[in-house]
Amino acid sequence: MGTIKTFLLLAATTAAAFGFAGSASAAPNFMPGGERTTQPIGHYEFCRRVPQECAQKTPKTNPVELSRKLWAKMVDINSTVNTVIAPRTDMEMWGQEEYWSYPDSEGDCEDYVLEKRRQLMALGVPAGNLLITVVRQPNGDGHAVLTVRTSLGDFVLDNLEPRILAWTDTDYTFLKRQSERNSGIWIAVNDDRPVAVGSVK
């Protein structure tokens, strides 16, 4: 995935499969949110250092329109950040398990997410459509990805995967994500897909 041809195919197949007519609630390619849940400690501490990160309010609106231009920008940002940022753990960089920050030249999964989110927001994508999301990998390890809420569903930007995938096409178990209305609030994800159930350790 990543070319305009792929985007057009994606748009056509998604629209055909789900009868797309601009309604997020009717399509199963949108991640089902649940009740309010705990904020990751790394995000909490990050928001204490950068308070505006937890003060972004987004009105209740439809997800951002997934145009060819936006798709191309998503692909470019995902690829560029994955390429220019060298992977390194928080323990190696900061001497502690969790320290979220905007990366300069190196970072771990949540740092990649923060940078991609920042760059997409700079292009005008509302904060409520750019959600930091915590998942469990098939091996049981925790991981963070960026979920982009679009008119064609929720897509995942991931430093472990060069392609941008629909959330349903990943092999992760989705645990929780930021609220689309308030960047300082986190909600559980009701990920009851059979593949997810099978990967729970």
Side-chain angles (χ1 to χ4, degrees), residues 14-15 18-34 61-66 128-129 131 147-155 166-169 174 177 180 189-193:
T14 303
F18 301 117
F20 176 69
S23 172
S25 61
N29 53 336
F30 288 87
M31 194 181 300
T61 58
N62 289 330
V64 66
E65 184 69 25
L66 185 55
N129 291 309
L131 308 175
T147 298
V148 182
R149 298 178 68 247
T150 80
S151 55
L152 293 180
D154 292 340
F155 291 90
W167 80 280
T168 51
D169 290 336
F174 287 73
R177 63 170 173 79
E180 63 267 26
V189 175
N190 297 323
D191 187 356
D192 58 358
R193 297 171 298 151

mmCIF file of all heavy atoms in Angstrom, residues 14-15 18-34 61-66 128-129 131 147-155 166-169 174 177 180 189-193:
data_model
loop_
_atom_site.group_PDB
_atom_site.id
_atom_site.type_symbol
_atom_site.label_atom_id
_atom_site.label_comp_id
_atom_site.label_asym_id
_atom_site.label_seq_id
_atom_site.Cartn_x
_atom_site.Cartn_y
_atom_site.Cartn_z
ATOM 1 N N THR A 14 -13.540 -0.431 -0.276
ATOM 2 C CA THR A 14 -14.157 -0.071 1.011
ATOM 3 C C THR A 14 -15.573 0.430 0.805
ATOM 4 O O THR A 14 -16.505 0.038 1.515
ATOM 5 C CB THR A 14 -13.322 0.999 1.729
ATOM 6 O OG1 THR A 14 -11.999 0.517 1.910
ATOM 7 C CG2 THR A 14 -13.918 1.342 3.086
ATOM 8 N N ALA A 15 -15.739 1.300 -0.181
ATOM 9 C CA ALA A 15 -17.066 1.842 -0.456
ATOM 10 C C ALA A 15 -18.025 0.736 -0.868
ATOM 11 O O ALA A 15 -19.179 0.697 -0.440
ATOM 12 C CB ALA A 15 -16.980 2.906 -1.544
ATOM 13 N N PHE A 18 -18.807 -1.675 2.254
ATOM 14 C CA PHE A 18 -19.555 -1.148 3.379
ATOM 15 C C PHE A 18 -20.660 -0.177 2.975
ATOM 16 O O PHE A 18 -21.289 0.438 3.835
ATOM 17 C CB PHE A 18 -18.598 -0.447 4.357
ATOM 18 C CG PHE A 18 -17.535 -1.351 4.880
ATOM 19 C CD1 PHE A 18 -16.206 -1.106 4.616
ATOM 20 C CD2 PHE A 18 -17.871 -2.477 5.620
ATOM 21 C CE1 PHE A 18 -15.222 -1.948 5.089
ATOM 22 C CE2 PHE A 18 -16.887 -3.319 6.106
ATOM 23 C CZ PHE A 18 -15.559 -3.057 5.828
ATOM 24 N N GLY A 19 -20.884 -0.008 1.680
ATOM 25 C CA GLY A 19 -21.915 0.915 1.234
ATOM 26 C C GLY A 19 -21.638 2.305 1.747
ATOM 27 O O GLY A 19 -22.529 2.993 2.229
ATOM 28 N N PHE A 20 -20.381 2.739 1.669
ATOM 29 C CA PHE A 20 -19.957 4.000 2.284
ATOM 30 C C PHE A 20 -20.807 5.176 1.834
ATOM 31 O O PHE A 20 -20.974 5.423 0.654
ATOM 32 C CB PHE A 20 -18.489 4.279 1.958
ATOM 33 C CG PHE A 20 -18.011 5.603 2.480
ATOM 34 C CD1 PHE A 20 -17.886 5.793 3.840
ATOM 35 C CD2 PHE A 20 -17.733 6.643 1.626
ATOM 36 C CE1 PHE A 20 -17.466 7.006 4.341
ATOM 37 C CE2 PHE A 20 -17.316 7.866 2.119
ATOM 38 C CZ PHE A 20 -17.182 8.043 3.471
ATOM 39 N N ALA A 21 -21.340 5.906 2.804
ATOM 40 C CA ALA A 21 -22.140 7.092 2.495
ATOM 41 C C ALA A 21 -21.865 8.184 3.495
ATOM 42 O O ALA A 21 -22.723 8.997 3.801
ATOM 43 C CB ALA A 21 -23.624 6.726 2.496
ATOM 44 N N GLY A 22 -20.667 8.197 4.064
ATOM 45 C CA GLY A 22 -20.274 9.273 4.955
ATOM 46 C C GLY A 22 -20.605 9.042 6.409
ATOM 47 O O GLY A 22 -20.412 9.918 7.237
ATOM 48 N N SER A 23 -21.097 7.880 6.757
ATOM 49 C CA SER A 23 -21.474 7.617 8.143
ATOM 50 C C SER A 23 -20.466 6.694 8.789
ATOM 51 O O SER A 23 -20.290 5.561 8.377
ATOM 52 C CB SER A 23 -22.864 6.971 8.198
ATOM 53 O OG SER A 23 -23.152 6.563 9.507
ATOM 54 N N ALA A 24 -19.797 7.189 9.833
ATOM 55 C CA ALA A 24 -18.789 6.378 10.511
ATOM 56 C C ALA A 24 -19.427 5.264 11.320
ATOM 57 O O ALA A 24 -18.898 4.168 11.410
ATOM 58 C CB ALA A 24 -17.942 7.264 11.425
ATOM 59 N N SER A 25 -20.581 5.534 11.921
ATOM 60 C CA SER A 25 -21.148 4.587 12.870
ATOM 61 C C SER A 25 -21.611 3.296 12.201
ATOM 62 O O SER A 25 -21.716 2.267 12.858
ATOM 63 C CB SER A 25 -22.323 5.237 13.608
ATOM 64 O OG SER A 25 -23.331 5.612 12.685
ATOM 65 N N ALA A 26 -21.893 3.326 10.892
ATOM 66 C CA ALA A 26 -22.453 2.156 10.241
ATOM 67 C C ALA A 26 -21.395 1.194 9.726
ATOM 68 O O ALA A 26 -21.717 0.083 9.351
ATOM 69 C CB ALA A 26 -23.347 2.604 9.083
ATOM 70 N N ALA A 27 -20.144 1.613 9.681
ATOM 71 C CA ALA A 27 -19.115 0.807 9.032
ATOM 72 C C ALA A 27 -18.282 0.045 10.051
ATOM 73 O O ALA A 27 -17.825 0.603 11.028
ATOM 74 C CB ALA A 27 -18.215 1.705 8.193
ATOM 75 N N PRO A 28 -18.060 -1.266 9.799
ATOM 76 C CA PRO A 28 -17.280 -2.068 10.742
ATOM 77 C C PRO A 28 -15.784 -1.797 10.669
ATOM 78 O O PRO A 28 -15.038 -2.378 11.433
ATOM 79 C CB PRO A 28 -17.601 -3.507 10.311
ATOM 80 C CG PRO A 28 -17.972 -3.407 8.875
ATOM 81 C CD PRO A 28 -18.641 -2.080 8.723
ATOM 82 N N ASN A 29 -15.329 -0.941 9.747
ATOM 83 C CA ASN A 29 -13.905 -0.644 9.672
ATOM 84 C C ASN A 29 -13.512 0.497 10.602
ATOM 85 O O ASN A 29 -12.406 1.016 10.518
ATOM 86 C CB ASN A 29 -13.472 -0.359 8.230
ATOM 87 C CG ASN A 29 -14.302 0.710 7.565
ATOM 88 O OD1 ASN A 29 -15.440 0.963 7.943
ATOM 89 N ND2 ASN A 29 -13.749 1.355 6.566
ATOM 90 N N PHE A 30 -14.413 0.871 11.503
ATOM 91 C CA PHE A 30 -14.100 1.850 12.535
ATOM 92 C C PHE A 30 -13.923 1.133 13.872
ATOM 93 O O PHE A 30 -14.722 0.280 14.236
ATOM 94 C CB PHE A 30 -15.195 2.917 12.643
ATOM 95 C CG PHE A 30 -15.196 3.871 11.490
ATOM 96 C CD1 PHE A 30 -15.902 3.581 10.344
ATOM 97 C CD2 PHE A 30 -14.459 5.041 11.538
ATOM 98 C CE1 PHE A 30 -15.895 4.440 9.254
ATOM 99 C CE2 PHE A 30 -14.440 5.913 10.464
ATOM 100 C CZ PHE A 30 -15.150 5.609 9.311
ATOM 101 N N MET A 31 -12.879 1.488 14.572
ATOM 102 C CA MET A 31 -12.536 0.850 15.835
ATOM 103 C C MET A 31 -13.613 1.121 16.886
ATOM 104 O O MET A 31 -13.953 2.273 17.133
ATOM 105 C CB MET A 31 -11.194 1.429 16.295
ATOM 106 C CG MET A 31 -10.497 0.677 17.389
ATOM 107 S SD MET A 31 -8.935 1.521 17.813
ATOM 108 C CE MET A 31 -8.062 1.459 16.241
ATOM 109 N N PRO A 32 -14.165 0.086 17.505
ATOM 110 C CA PRO A 32 -15.221 0.301 18.499
ATOM 111 C C PRO A 32 -14.655 0.784 19.832
ATOM 112 O O PRO A 32 -13.877 0.091 20.482
ATOM 113 C CB PRO A 32 -15.869 -1.082 18.636
ATOM 114 C CG PRO A 32 -14.773 -2.038 18.282
ATOM 115 C CD PRO A 32 -13.909 -1.344 17.256
ATOM 116 N N GLY A 33 -15.045 1.972 20.218
ATOM 117 C CA GLY A 33 -14.592 2.524 21.490
ATOM 118 C C GLY A 33 -15.450 2.040 22.641
ATOM 119 O O GLY A 33 -16.603 1.650 22.456
ATOM 120 N N GLY A 34 -14.864 2.071 23.839
ATOM 121 C CA GLY A 34 -15.575 1.632 25.028
ATOM 122 C C GLY A 34 -15.615 2.712 26.094
ATOM 123 O O GLY A 34 -15.668 3.908 25.799
ATOM 124 N N THR A 61 -17.547 15.611 15.202
ATOM 125 C CA THR A 61 -17.737 15.753 13.762
ATOM 126 C C THR A 61 -17.418 14.426 13.081
ATOM 127 O O THR A 61 -16.923 13.492 13.707
ATOM 128 C CB THR A 61 -16.813 16.849 13.186
ATOM 129 O OG1 THR A 61 -15.450 16.501 13.486
ATOM 130 C CG2 THR A 61 -17.132 18.216 13.786
ATOM 131 N N ASN A 62 -17.685 14.370 11.784
ATOM 132 C CA ASN A 62 -17.321 13.184 11.022
ATOM 133 C C ASN A 62 -15.806 13.061 10.938
ATOM 134 O O ASN A 62 -15.087 14.066 11.011
ATOM 135 C CB ASN A 62 -17.908 13.250 9.617
ATOM 136 C CG ASN A 62 -19.414 13.067 9.605
ATOM 137 O OD1 ASN A 62 -19.968 12.384 10.467
ATOM 138 N ND2 ASN A 62 -20.081 13.680 8.650
ATOM 139 N N PRO A 63 -15.281 11.860 10.768
ATOM 140 C CA PRO A 63 -13.835 11.690 10.582
ATOM 141 C C PRO A 63 -13.339 12.471 9.371
ATOM 142 O O PRO A 63 -14.112 12.794 8.462
ATOM 143 C CB PRO A 63 -13.687 10.179 10.376
ATOM 144 C CG PRO A 63 -14.892 9.583 11.023
ATOM 145 C CD PRO A 63 -15.991 10.569 10.789
ATOM 146 N N VAL A 64 -12.042 12.749 9.353
ATOM 147 C CA VAL A 64 -11.459 13.533 8.270
ATOM 148 C C VAL A 64 -11.644 12.819 6.932
ATOM 149 O O VAL A 64 -11.569 11.595 6.845
ATOM 150 C CB VAL A 64 -9.954 13.802 8.551
ATOM 151 C CG1 VAL A 64 -9.138 12.512 8.534
ATOM 152 C CG2 VAL A 64 -9.390 14.817 7.566
ATOM 153 N N GLU A 65 -11.918 13.586 5.879
ATOM 154 C CA GLU A 65 -12.099 13.027 4.541
ATOM 155 C C GLU A 65 -10.776 12.472 4.030
ATOM 156 O O GLU A 65 -9.771 13.179 3.999
ATOM 157 C CB GLU A 65 -12.609 14.109 3.584
ATOM 158 C CG GLU A 65 -12.912 13.613 2.196
ATOM 159 C CD GLU A 65 -14.123 12.685 2.139
ATOM 160 O OE1 GLU A 65 -15.003 12.784 3.021
ATOM 161 O OE2 GLU A 65 -14.181 11.862 1.201
ATOM 162 N N LEU A 66 -10.792 11.196 3.636
ATOM 163 C CA LEU A 66 -9.564 10.570 3.141
ATOM 164 C C LEU A 66 -9.431 10.827 1.636
ATOM 165 O O LEU A 66 -9.844 10.020 0.813
ATOM 166 C CB LEU A 66 -9.554 9.074 3.436
ATOM 167 C CG LEU A 66 -8.258 8.340 3.076
ATOM 168 C CD1 LEU A 66 -7.048 8.987 3.735
ATOM 169 C CD2 LEU A 66 -8.335 6.875 3.462
ATOM 170 N N GLY A 128 -8.576 15.210 17.038
ATOM 171 C CA GLY A 128 -9.524 14.135 17.296
ATOM 172 C C GLY A 128 -9.519 13.032 16.259
ATOM 173 O O GLY A 128 -10.160 11.996 16.456
ATOM 174 N N ASN A 129 -8.811 13.235 15.156
ATOM 175 C CA ASN A 129 -8.671 12.199 14.140
ATOM 176 C C ASN A 129 -7.290 11.563 14.159
ATOM 177 O O ASN A 129 -6.972 10.746 13.285
ATOM 178 C CB ASN A 129 -8.957 12.770 12.751
ATOM 179 C CG ASN A 129 -10.414 13.133 12.577
ATOM 180 O OD1 ASN A 129 -11.295 12.340 12.850
ATOM 181 N ND2 ASN A 129 -10.665 14.361 12.154
ATOM 182 N N LEU A 131 -5.128 9.618 16.857
ATOM 183 C CA LEU A 131 -5.247 9.063 18.200
ATOM 184 C C LEU A 131 -4.097 8.121 18.535
ATOM 185 O O LEU A 131 -3.894 7.101 17.858
ATOM 186 C CB LEU A 131 -6.572 8.309 18.319
ATOM 187 C CG LEU A 131 -7.814 9.114 17.888
ATOM 188 C CD1 LEU A 131 -9.055 8.239 17.940
ATOM 189 C CD2 LEU A 131 -7.982 10.366 18.733
ATOM 190 N N THR A 147 -3.457 5.920 15.267
ATOM 191 C CA THR A 147 -4.674 5.636 14.526
ATOM 192 C C THR A 147 -5.175 6.926 13.889
ATOM 193 O O THR A 147 -5.370 7.926 14.581
ATOM 194 C CB THR A 147 -5.772 5.065 15.442
ATOM 195 O OG1 THR A 147 -5.322 3.827 16.009
ATOM 196 C CG2 THR A 147 -7.056 4.824 14.671
ATOM 197 N N VAL A 148 -5.379 6.893 12.576
ATOM 198 C CA VAL A 148 -5.942 8.032 11.857
ATOM 199 C C VAL A 148 -7.389 7.701 11.512
ATOM 200 O O VAL A 148 -7.653 6.743 10.788
ATOM 201 C CB VAL A 148 -5.142 8.357 10.581
ATOM 202 C CG1 VAL A 148 -5.732 9.594 9.892
ATOM 203 C CG2 VAL A 148 -3.672 8.594 10.911
ATOM 204 N N ARG A 149 -8.319 8.475 12.064
ATOM 205 C CA ARG A 149 -9.750 8.275 11.797
ATOM 206 C C ARG A 149 -10.114 9.007 10.512
ATOM 207 O O ARG A 149 -9.992 10.222 10.419
ATOM 208 C CB ARG A 149 -10.597 8.804 12.951
ATOM 209 C CG ARG A 149 -10.368 8.116 14.274
ATOM 210 C CD ARG A 149 -11.223 8.740 15.371
ATOM 211 N NE ARG A 149 -12.642 8.475 15.174
ATOM 212 C CZ ARG A 149 -13.550 9.402 14.890
ATOM 213 N NH1 ARG A 149 -13.200 10.662 14.774
ATOM 214 N NH2 ARG A 149 -14.816 9.084 14.732
ATOM 215 N N THR A 150 -10.565 8.266 9.521
ATOM 216 C CA THR A 150 -10.888 8.856 8.227
ATOM 217 C C THR A 150 -12.286 8.449 7.787
ATOM 218 O O THR A 150 -12.908 7.571 8.390
ATOM 219 C CB THR A 150 -9.887 8.411 7.139
ATOM 220 O OG1 THR A 150 -10.248 7.096 6.670
ATOM 221 C CG2 THR A 150 -8.456 8.405 7.650
ATOM 222 N N SER A 151 -12.735 9.076 6.717
ATOM 223 C CA SER A 151 -14.052 8.754 6.174
ATOM 224 C C SER A 151 -14.146 7.326 5.663
ATOM 225 O O SER A 151 -15.246 6.801 5.466
ATOM 226 C CB SER A 151 -14.382 9.733 5.045
ATOM 227 O OG SER A 151 -13.353 9.718 4.055
ATOM 228 N N LEU A 152 -13.005 6.659 5.440
ATOM 229 C CA LEU A 152 -13.001 5.274 4.983
ATOM 230 C C LEU A 152 -12.574 4.300 6.077
ATOM 231 O O LEU A 152 -12.261 3.144 5.800
ATOM 232 C CB LEU A 152 -12.086 5.114 3.761
ATOM 233 C CG LEU A 152 -12.554 5.815 2.491
ATOM 234 C CD1 LEU A 152 -11.572 5.578 1.356
ATOM 235 C CD2 LEU A 152 -13.946 5.347 2.088
ATOM 236 N N GLY A 153 -12.556 4.778 7.314
ATOM 237 C CA GLY A 153 -12.220 3.893 8.417
ATOM 238 C C GLY A 153 -10.974 4.326 9.150
ATOM 239 O O GLY A 153 -10.393 5.381 8.886
ATOM 240 N N ASP A 154 -10.562 3.500 10.100
ATOM 241 C CA ASP A 154 -9.396 3.780 10.944
ATOM 242 C C ASP A 154 -8.169 3.090 10.378
ATOM 243 O O ASP A 154 -8.164 1.877 10.164
ATOM 244 C CB ASP A 154 -9.654 3.278 12.368
ATOM 245 C CG ASP A 154 -10.739 4.075 13.077
ATOM 246 O OD1 ASP A 154 -11.014 5.206 12.659
ATOM 247 O OD2 ASP A 154 -11.315 3.547 14.052
ATOM 248 N N PHE A 155 -7.105 3.894 10.178
ATOM 249 C CA PHE A 155 -5.864 3.380 9.609
ATOM 250 C C PHE A 155 -4.718 3.559 10.590
ATOM 251 O O PHE A 155 -4.699 4.509 11.373
ATOM 252 C CB PHE A 155 -5.552 4.074 8.283
ATOM 253 C CG PHE A 155 -6.515 3.705 7.190
ATOM 254 C CD1 PHE A 155 -7.674 4.439 6.991
ATOM 255 C CD2 PHE A 155 -6.286 2.597 6.392
ATOM 256 C CE1 PHE A 155 -8.583 4.082 6.005
ATOM 257 C CE2 PHE A 155 -7.184 2.232 5.401
ATOM 258 C CZ PHE A 155 -8.330 2.976 5.203
ATOM 259 N N ALA A 166 -5.417 -0.761 7.409
ATOM 260 C CA ALA A 166 -6.646 -0.642 8.179
ATOM 261 C C ALA A 166 -6.445 -1.362 9.505
ATOM 262 O O ALA A 166 -5.746 -2.382 9.565
ATOM 263 C CB ALA A 166 -7.813 -1.256 7.412
ATOM 264 N N TRP A 167 -7.022 -0.844 10.572
ATOM 265 C CA TRP A 167 -6.774 -1.438 11.889
ATOM 266 C C TRP A 167 -7.172 -2.913 11.914
ATOM 267 O O TRP A 167 -6.527 -3.723 12.589
ATOM 268 C CB TRP A 167 -7.507 -0.654 12.985
ATOM 269 C CG TRP A 167 -8.959 -0.955 13.120
ATOM 270 C CD1 TRP A 167 -9.977 -0.464 12.345
ATOM 271 C CD2 TRP A 167 -9.568 -1.809 14.088
ATOM 272 N NE1 TRP A 167 -11.177 -0.967 12.779
ATOM 273 C CE2 TRP A 167 -10.966 -1.786 13.844
ATOM 274 C CE3 TRP A 167 -9.079 -2.581 15.139
ATOM 275 C CZ2 TRP A 167 -11.867 -2.517 14.609
ATOM 276 C CZ3 TRP A 167 -9.979 -3.317 15.910
ATOM 277 C CH2 TRP A 167 -11.354 -3.277 15.646
ATOM 278 N N THR A 168 -8.175 -3.289 11.128
ATOM 279 C CA THR A 168 -8.634 -4.676 11.090
ATOM 280 C C THR A 168 -7.658 -5.592 10.349
ATOM 281 O O THR A 168 -7.768 -6.817 10.447
ATOM 282 C CB THR A 168 -10.007 -4.759 10.404
ATOM 283 O OG1 THR A 168 -9.955 -4.059 9.145
ATOM 284 C CG2 THR A 168 -11.089 -4.130 11.268
ATOM 285 N N ASP A 169 -6.724 -5.019 9.606
ATOM 286 C CA ASP A 169 -5.759 -5.818 8.855
ATOM 287 C C ASP A 169 -4.454 -6.043 9.614
ATOM 288 O O ASP A 169 -3.540 -6.684 9.093
ATOM 289 C CB ASP A 169 -5.443 -5.158 7.502
ATOM 290 C CG ASP A 169 -6.613 -5.221 6.546
ATOM 291 O OD1 ASP A 169 -7.472 -6.112 6.711
ATOM 292 O OD2 ASP A 169 -6.689 -4.373 5.639
ATOM 293 N N PHE A 174 -6.034 -4.531 20.054
ATOM 294 C CA PHE A 174 -6.152 -3.119 20.398
ATOM 295 C C PHE A 174 -6.723 -2.981 21.806
ATOM 296 O O PHE A 174 -7.784 -3.538 22.113
ATOM 297 C CB PHE A 174 -7.016 -2.396 19.374
ATOM 298 C CG PHE A 174 -6.307 -2.196 18.059
ATOM 299 C CD1 PHE A 174 -6.094 -3.265 17.204
ATOM 300 C CD2 PHE A 174 -5.822 -0.948 17.697
ATOM 301 C CE1 PHE A 174 -5.418 -3.097 15.999
ATOM 302 C CE2 PHE A 174 -5.144 -0.772 16.502
ATOM 303 C CZ PHE A 174 -4.941 -1.843 15.648
ATOM 304 N N ARG A 177 -7.145 3.782 23.473
ATOM 305 C CA ARG A 177 -6.693 4.891 22.646
ATOM 306 C C ARG A 177 -7.197 6.199 23.234
ATOM 307 O O ARG A 177 -8.069 6.214 24.120
ATOM 308 C CB ARG A 177 -7.191 4.742 21.212
ATOM 309 C CG ARG A 177 -8.715 4.785 21.066
ATOM 310 C CD ARG A 177 -9.123 4.870 19.619
ATOM 311 N NE ARG A 177 -10.556 4.744 19.399
ATOM 312 C CZ ARG A 177 -11.446 5.702 19.567
ATOM 313 N NH1 ARG A 177 -11.068 6.894 20.014
ATOM 314 N NH2 ARG A 177 -12.728 5.485 19.305
ATOM 315 N N GLU A 180 -11.511 10.747 20.884
ATOM 316 C CA GLU A 180 -11.536 11.664 19.741
ATOM 317 C C GLU A 180 -12.051 13.048 20.104
ATOM 318 O O GLU A 180 -11.930 13.983 19.316
ATOM 319 C CB GLU A 180 -12.383 11.070 18.602
ATOM 320 C CG GLU A 180 -13.830 10.853 18.915
ATOM 321 C CD GLU A 180 -14.113 9.453 19.436
ATOM 322 O OE1 GLU A 180 -13.204 8.819 20.008
ATOM 323 O OE2 GLU A 180 -15.269 8.997 19.265
ATOM 324 N N VAL A 189 -10.716 0.028 24.012
ATOM 325 C CA VAL A 189 -11.122 -0.427 22.679
ATOM 326 C C VAL A 189 -11.744 -1.804 22.825
ATOM 327 O O VAL A 189 -11.130 -2.717 23.394
ATOM 328 C CB VAL A 189 -9.924 -0.480 21.710
ATOM 329 C CG1 VAL A 189 -10.354 -1.077 20.359
ATOM 330 C CG2 VAL A 189 -9.324 0.905 21.515
ATOM 331 N N ASN A 190 -12.959 -1.965 22.321
ATOM 332 C CA ASN A 190 -13.653 -3.254 22.393
ATOM 333 C C ASN A 190 -13.253 -4.103 21.192
ATOM 334 O O ASN A 190 -14.016 -4.283 20.238
ATOM 335 C CB ASN A 190 -15.167 -3.036 22.426
ATOM 336 C CG ASN A 190 -15.604 -2.284 23.665
ATOM 337 O OD1 ASN A 190 -15.058 -2.481 24.748
ATOM 338 N ND2 ASN A 190 -16.577 -1.401 23.516
ATOM 339 N N ASP A 191 -12.045 -4.626 21.237
ATOM 340 C CA ASP A 191 -11.498 -5.411 20.131
ATOM 341 C C ASP A 191 -11.871 -6.872 20.323
ATOM 342 O O ASP A 191 -11.152 -7.633 20.961
ATOM 343 C CB ASP A 191 -9.980 -5.230 20.071
ATOM 344 C CG ASP A 191 -9.357 -5.876 18.840
ATOM 345 O OD1 ASP A 191 -10.090 -6.532 18.082
ATOM 346 O OD2 ASP A 191 -8.144 -5.706 18.646
ATOM 347 N N ASP A 192 -13.017 -7.252 19.756
ATOM 348 C CA ASP A 192 -13.484 -8.630 19.923
ATOM 349 C C ASP A 192 -13.351 -9.437 18.635
ATOM 350 O O ASP A 192 -14.040 -10.443 18.441
ATOM 351 C CB ASP A 192 -14.931 -8.653 20.412
ATOM 352 C CG ASP A 192 -15.878 -7.909 19.462
ATOM 353 O OD1 ASP A 192 -15.396 -7.341 18.448
ATOM 354 O OD2 ASP A 192 -17.094 -7.886 19.736
ATOM 355 N N ARG A 193 -12.447 -9.015 17.749
ATOM 356 C CA ARG A 193 -12.204 -9.791 16.530
ATOM 357 C C ARG A 193 -11.650 -11.170 16.900
ATOM 358 O O ARG A 193 -10.853 -11.290 17.826
ATOM 359 C CB ARG A 193 -11.190 -9.066 15.636
ATOM 360 C CG ARG A 193 -11.657 -7.713 15.121
ATOM 361 C CD ARG A 193 -10.510 -6.974 14.445
ATOM 362 N NE ARG A 193 -9.451 -6.712 15.410
ATOM 363 C CZ ARG A 193 -8.161 -6.609 15.092
ATOM 364 N NH1 ARG A 193 -7.774 -6.777 13.836
ATOM 365 N NH2 ARG A 193 -7.250 -6.348 16.010
#
